[in-house]
């Protein structure tokens, strides 16, 4: 990538947090103020940054317009679908994608290869919150108000001996999921299936959904299914990157 383009991208990301003074931008880029000013003048002329009444630089109105155009063209399911098709082909298991939506978690896509488990879930249907891997992967990473808003709809009905039936136990499980980075459903809704699931992130580092790999327990018990965790995490990472997510330590690693 061109050094000038890279610096322009860094300026956009830095100034998107809040308006910055020229000296702050130069220090962030590690360049002389005249170099930073030259890039800013070019970006300002194109409408990507603008100077406020205090002489600080923030994102420009043209960037806001381009962002809205991108949003209008954006369909999360369209982005995710080819990834989960490839994941299903690689694992030969059923793959599901779910997202949080208005107090619920909803299935929005599913791939069921031949001879894989056929689930009774439907696109647009609600996830059984206290049993599913996708719900654990999402709820473990939501802020507390958003998490509790969704959990208000959880019944904690017992379906199998493995079902979590209290909110306290479920919250303990979410702590484990958050620390580990992925979730499981170990026969918690029915005794014939199990799954592993991991979150998908957006450009604001917010969880925007989760993807699961599900199998008959006779075909792959949870120990066998976990052997697919690298494929699952590679998939969720690739999708998250396409949505604009970047690991927090990536810049530091790159600079080092």
């Amino acid at each position: 990538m061109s050094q000038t383009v890279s610096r322009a991208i860094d300026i956009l990301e830095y100034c998107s947090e809040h308006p910055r003074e020229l000296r702050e931008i130069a220090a962030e880029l590690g360049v002389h103020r005249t170099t930073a000013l030259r890039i800013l003048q070019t970006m300002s002329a194109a409408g990507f940054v603008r100077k406020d009444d205090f002489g600080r630089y923030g994102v420009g109105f043209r960037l806001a317009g381009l962002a809205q155009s991108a949003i209008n063209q954006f369909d999360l399911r369209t982005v995710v679908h080819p990834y989960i098709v490839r994941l299903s082909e690689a694992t030969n298991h059923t793959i599901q994608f779910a997202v949080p939506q208005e107090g619920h978690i909803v299935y929005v896509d599913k791939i069921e290869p031949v001879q894989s488990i056929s689930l009774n879930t439907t696109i647009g249907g609600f996830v059984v919150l206290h049993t599913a891997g996708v719900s654990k992967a999402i709820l473990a990473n939501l802020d507390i108000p958003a998490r509790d808003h969704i959990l208000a709809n959880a019944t904690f009905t017992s379906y199998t001996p493995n079902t979590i039936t209290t909110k306290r136990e479920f919250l303990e499980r979410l702590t484990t999921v958050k620390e580990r980075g992925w979730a499981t459903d170990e026969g918690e809704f029915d005794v014939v299936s199990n799954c592993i699931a991991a979150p998908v992130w957006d450009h604001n580092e917010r969880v925007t959904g989760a993807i699961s790999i599900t199998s008959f327990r006779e075909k792959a018990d949870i120990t066998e299914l976990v052997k697919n965790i690298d494929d699952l995490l590679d998939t969720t990472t690739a999708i998250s990157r396409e949505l604009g997510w970047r690991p927090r330590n990536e810049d530091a690693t790159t600079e080092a």
Side-chain angles (χ1 to χ4, degrees), residues 111-130:
I111 307 296
E112 293 182 331
V114 177
Q115 297 182 335
S116 70
I117 187 169
S118 181
L119 300 173
N120 61 357
T121 56
T122 58
I123 305 304
F126 293 156
V127 173
V128 180
L129 295 171
H130 63 296

mmCIF file of all heavy atoms in Angstrom, residues 111-130:
data_model
loop_
_atom_site.group_PDB
_atom_site.id
_atom_site.type_symbol
_atom_site.label_atom_id
_atom_site.label_comp_id
_atom_site.label_asym_id
_atom_site.label_seq_id
_atom_site.Cartn_x
_atom_site.Cartn_y
_atom_site.Cartn_z
ATOM 1 N N ILE A 111 -26.919 -23.622 5.999
ATOM 2 C CA ILE A 111 -26.447 -24.536 4.955
ATOM 3 C C ILE A 111 -26.504 -25.954 5.510
ATOM 4 O O ILE A 111 -25.900 -26.238 6.550
ATOM 5 C CB ILE A 111 -24.998 -24.217 4.517
ATOM 6 C CG1 ILE A 111 -24.852 -22.754 4.113
ATOM 7 C CG2 ILE A 111 -24.575 -25.142 3.381
ATOM 8 C CD1 ILE A 111 -25.661 -22.350 2.899
ATOM 9 N N GLU A 112 -27.223 -26.838 4.814
ATOM 10 C CA GLU A 112 -27.345 -28.225 5.243
ATOM 11 C C GLU A 112 -26.871 -29.151 4.126
ATOM 12 O O GLU A 112 -27.619 -29.436 3.191
ATOM 13 C CB GLU A 112 -28.793 -28.559 5.615
ATOM 14 C CG GLU A 112 -29.295 -27.841 6.853
ATOM 15 C CD GLU A 112 -30.717 -28.222 7.216
ATOM 16 O OE1 GLU A 112 -31.500 -28.562 6.303
ATOM 17 O OE2 GLU A 112 -31.052 -28.163 8.406
ATOM 18 N N PRO A 113 -25.634 -29.628 4.187
ATOM 19 C CA PRO A 113 -25.145 -30.526 3.140
ATOM 20 C C PRO A 113 -25.848 -31.887 3.208
ATOM 21 O O PRO A 113 -26.458 -32.242 4.219
ATOM 22 C CB PRO A 113 -23.655 -30.663 3.464
ATOM 23 C CG PRO A 113 -23.557 -30.370 4.915
ATOM 24 C CD PRO A 113 -24.615 -29.355 5.211
ATOM 25 N N VAL A 114 -25.763 -32.647 2.130
ATOM 26 C CA VAL A 114 -26.346 -33.982 2.084
ATOM 27 C C VAL A 114 -25.732 -34.847 3.177
ATOM 28 O O VAL A 114 -24.538 -34.789 3.443
ATOM 29 C CB VAL A 114 -26.104 -34.623 0.691
ATOM 30 C CG1 VAL A 114 -26.641 -36.045 0.666
ATOM 31 C CG2 VAL A 114 -26.750 -33.782 -0.396
ATOM 32 N N GLN A 115 -26.582 -35.609 3.856
ATOM 33 C CA GLN A 115 -26.193 -36.529 4.928
ATOM 34 C C GLN A 115 -25.732 -35.817 6.199
ATOM 35 O O GLN A 115 -25.191 -36.456 7.105
ATOM 36 C CB GLN A 115 -25.102 -37.505 4.452
ATOM 37 C CG GLN A 115 -25.569 -38.418 3.320
ATOM 38 C CD GLN A 115 -24.501 -39.410 2.906
ATOM 39 O OE1 GLN A 115 -23.314 -39.178 3.092
ATOM 40 N NE2 GLN A 115 -24.930 -40.530 2.334
ATOM 41 N N SER A 116 -25.957 -34.504 6.265
ATOM 42 C CA SER A 116 -25.676 -33.804 7.523
ATOM 43 C C SER A 116 -26.972 -33.755 8.322
ATOM 44 O O SER A 116 -28.031 -34.172 7.853
ATOM 45 C CB SER A 116 -25.180 -32.381 7.255
ATOM 46 O OG SER A 116 -26.241 -31.582 6.757
ATOM 47 N N ILE A 117 -26.897 -33.239 9.540
ATOM 48 C CA ILE A 117 -28.095 -33.120 10.344
ATOM 49 C C ILE A 117 -29.039 -32.080 9.752
ATOM 50 O O ILE A 117 -28.614 -31.020 9.297
ATOM 51 C CB ILE A 117 -27.742 -32.749 11.806
ATOM 52 C CG1 ILE A 117 -28.989 -32.797 12.685
ATOM 53 C CG2 ILE A 117 -27.055 -31.387 11.891
ATOM 54 C CD1 ILE A 117 -28.675 -32.703 14.172
ATOM 55 N N SER A 118 -30.312 -32.395 9.699
ATOM 56 C CA SER A 118 -31.333 -31.453 9.226
ATOM 57 C C SER A 118 -32.028 -30.863 10.446
ATOM 58 O O SER A 118 -32.688 -31.590 11.209
ATOM 59 C CB SER A 118 -32.347 -32.171 8.326
ATOM 60 O OG SER A 118 -33.319 -31.265 7.855
ATOM 61 N N LEU A 119 -31.848 -29.582 10.643
ATOM 62 C CA LEU A 119 -32.368 -28.936 11.842
ATOM 63 C C LEU A 119 -33.773 -28.404 11.614
ATOM 64 O O LEU A 119 -34.151 -28.040 10.503
ATOM 65 C CB LEU A 119 -31.438 -27.793 12.253
ATOM 66 C CG LEU A 119 -29.988 -28.209 12.565
ATOM 67 C CD1 LEU A 119 -29.134 -26.979 12.797
ATOM 68 C CD2 LEU A 119 -29.947 -29.130 13.771
ATOM 69 N N ASN A 120 -34.546 -28.325 12.707
ATOM 70 C CA ASN A 120 -35.904 -27.805 12.591
ATOM 71 C C ASN A 120 -35.943 -26.283 12.728
ATOM 72 O O ASN A 120 -37.005 -25.706 12.898
ATOM 73 C CB ASN A 120 -36.817 -28.449 13.634
ATOM 74 C CG ASN A 120 -36.369 -28.157 15.065
ATOM 75 O OD1 ASN A 120 -35.341 -27.523 15.292
ATOM 76 N ND2 ASN A 120 -37.136 -28.640 16.031
ATOM 77 N N THR A 121 -34.776 -25.648 12.671
ATOM 78 C CA THR A 121 -34.731 -24.187 12.697
ATOM 79 C C THR A 121 -35.112 -23.635 11.327
ATOM 80 O O THR A 121 -34.920 -24.301 10.307
ATOM 81 C CB THR A 121 -33.325 -23.693 13.076
ATOM 82 O OG1 THR A 121 -32.384 -24.254 12.154
ATOM 83 C CG2 THR A 121 -32.963 -24.119 14.479
ATOM 84 N N THR A 122 -35.649 -22.411 11.307
ATOM 85 C CA THR A 122 -36.056 -21.792 10.055
ATOM 86 C C THR A 122 -35.447 -20.402 9.925
ATOM 87 O O THR A 122 -35.220 -19.717 10.935
ATOM 88 C CB THR A 122 -37.591 -21.657 9.972
ATOM 89 O OG1 THR A 122 -38.063 -20.884 11.089
ATOM 90 C CG2 THR A 122 -38.254 -23.028 10.012
ATOM 91 N N ILE A 123 -35.180 -20.002 8.700
ATOM 92 C CA ILE A 123 -34.682 -18.645 8.462
ATOM 93 C C ILE A 123 -35.747 -17.659 8.915
ATOM 94 O O ILE A 123 -36.913 -17.748 8.526
ATOM 95 C CB ILE A 123 -34.362 -18.433 6.970
ATOM 96 C CG1 ILE A 123 -33.393 -19.494 6.467
ATOM 97 C CG2 ILE A 123 -33.802 -17.038 6.748
ATOM 98 C CD1 ILE A 123 -32.108 -19.586 7.224
ATOM 99 N N GLY A 124 -35.351 -16.728 9.753
ATOM 100 C CA GLY A 124 -36.301 -15.781 10.329
ATOM 101 C C GLY A 124 -36.867 -16.235 11.656
ATOM 102 O O GLY A 124 -37.572 -15.482 12.329
ATOM 103 N N GLY A 125 -36.567 -17.491 12.047
ATOM 104 C CA GLY A 125 -37.069 -18.011 13.315
ATOM 105 C C GLY A 125 -36.193 -17.604 14.486
ATOM 106 O O GLY A 125 -35.006 -17.305 14.329
ATOM 107 N N PHE A 126 -36.786 -17.598 15.683
ATOM 108 C CA PHE A 126 -36.058 -17.213 16.884
ATOM 109 C C PHE A 126 -35.195 -18.369 17.385
ATOM 110 O O PHE A 126 -35.585 -19.540 17.336
ATOM 111 C CB PHE A 126 -37.018 -16.803 18.003
ATOM 112 C CG PHE A 126 -37.779 -15.538 17.727
ATOM 113 C CD1 PHE A 126 -38.995 -15.299 18.360
ATOM 114 C CD2 PHE A 126 -37.299 -14.588 16.844
ATOM 115 C CE1 PHE A 126 -39.710 -14.136 18.120
ATOM 116 C CE2 PHE A 126 -38.003 -13.421 16.591
ATOM 117 C CZ PHE A 126 -39.206 -13.198 17.233
ATOM 118 N N VAL A 127 -34.021 -18.024 17.888
ATOM 119 C CA VAL A 127 -33.123 -18.983 18.521
ATOM 120 C C VAL A 127 -33.631 -19.281 19.939
ATOM 121 O O VAL A 127 -34.115 -18.383 20.634
ATOM 122 C CB VAL A 127 -31.697 -18.395 18.589
ATOM 123 C CG1 VAL A 127 -30.774 -19.296 19.389
ATOM 124 C CG2 VAL A 127 -31.150 -18.171 17.184
ATOM 125 N N VAL A 128 -33.541 -20.537 20.364
ATOM 126 C CA VAL A 128 -33.829 -20.873 21.757
ATOM 127 C C VAL A 128 -32.629 -20.389 22.583
ATOM 128 O O VAL A 128 -31.563 -20.996 22.597
ATOM 129 C CB VAL A 128 -34.050 -22.391 21.929
ATOM 130 C CG1 VAL A 128 -34.358 -22.703 23.400
ATOM 131 C CG2 VAL A 128 -35.186 -22.869 21.032
ATOM 132 N N LEU A 129 -32.826 -19.287 23.255
ATOM 133 C CA LEU A 129 -31.718 -18.501 23.795
ATOM 134 C C LEU A 129 -30.802 -19.263 24.741
ATOM 135 O O LEU A 129 -29.572 -19.126 24.671
ATOM 136 C CB LEU A 129 -32.262 -17.259 24.503
ATOM 137 C CG LEU A 129 -32.966 -16.230 23.614
ATOM 138 C CD1 LEU A 129 -33.629 -15.175 24.478
ATOM 139 C CD2 LEU A 129 -31.975 -15.589 22.652
ATOM 140 N N HIS A 130 -31.358 -20.058 25.636
ATOM 141 C CA HIS A 130 -30.537 -20.656 26.696
ATOM 142 C C HIS A 130 -29.899 -21.979 26.296
ATOM 143 O O HIS A 130 -29.209 -22.592 27.110
ATOM 144 C CB HIS A 130 -31.374 -20.842 27.967
ATOM 145 C CG HIS A 130 -32.535 -21.777 27.832
ATOM 146 N ND1 HIS A 130 -33.591 -21.521 27.000
ATOM 147 C CD2 HIS A 130 -32.797 -22.980 28.432
ATOM 148 C CE1 HIS A 130 -34.474 -22.509 27.087
ATOM 149 N NE2 HIS A 130 -34.006 -23.411 27.945
#
